Amino acid sequence: QVQLVESGGGLVQAGGSLRLSCIASGRAFKAYTMGWFRQAPGKEREFVAAIEWNGGSTLYADSVKGRFTISRDNAKNTVNLQMNSLEPEDTAVYCCAARVFGRPGVNSHEYNYWGQGTQVTVSA
């Protein structure tokens, strides 16, 4: 069983930055594709970013491309999401997810394990 715990959410003004972190307890973390998803009230969960097991391949939603950066540190079982130039529309609960098999993808059903999420609120 894999457990994922996010941290780093908070309240920030538009144009500001936040750094989210996700720590995995699974012993096979270094073999997993890792992703970030978000869900705002009244909206469907959407893909944000993903990264291959070795960090060699990344994938971003068009809405965050150029503003967000995903990275990982396999020695620490950690995946991060650096969020810059935040906008009010970025407000959501952000969850990290692990995909046991496969490369970075945008569909949530392809991911096998999920964290409980961390709240990000961006004020205008």
Side-chain angles (χ1 to χ4, degrees):
Q1 187 175 12
V2 176
Q3 293 182 328
L4 306 174
V5 180
E6 304 95 335
S7 63
L11 174 65
V12 65
Q13 292 184 340
S17 299
L18 285 173
R19 182 179 176 88
L20 306 183
S21 296
C22 174
I23 301 177
S25 64
R27 53 186 170 85
F29 171 82
K30 66 179 181 180
Y32 297 163
T33 285
M34 298 295 298
W36 287 95
F37 292 78
R38 67 186 183 186
Q39 187 168 21
K43 298 182 65 176
E44 192 171 297
R45 180 167 57 190
E46 65 175 343
F47 169 79
V48 177
I51 186 168
E52 195 175 21
W53 70 272
N54 62 355
S57 179
T58 57
L59 187 65
Y60 294 95
D62 289 341
S63 60
V64 307
K65 194 172 300 181
R67 300 188 297 121
F68 292 8
T69 302
I70 188 171
S71 62
R72 68 191 297 162
D73 185 342
N74 288 344
K76 298 180 178 179
N77 281 13
T78 300
V79 61
N80 305 116
L81 185 69
Q82 178 66 46
M83 306 185 295
N84 298 327
S85 301
L86 284 163
E87 304 168 353
E89 292 185 349
D90 295 318
T91 296
V93 174
Y94 285 70
C95 295
C96 65
R99 182 178 185 179
V100 177
F101 301 104
R103 304 179 73 179
V106 304
N107 297 311
S108 61
H109 72 269
E110 297 174 338
Y111 292 78
N112 307 99
Y113 300 99
W114 294 82
Q116 295 187 13
T118 184
Q119 177 71 46
V120 172
T121 303
V122 184
S123 61

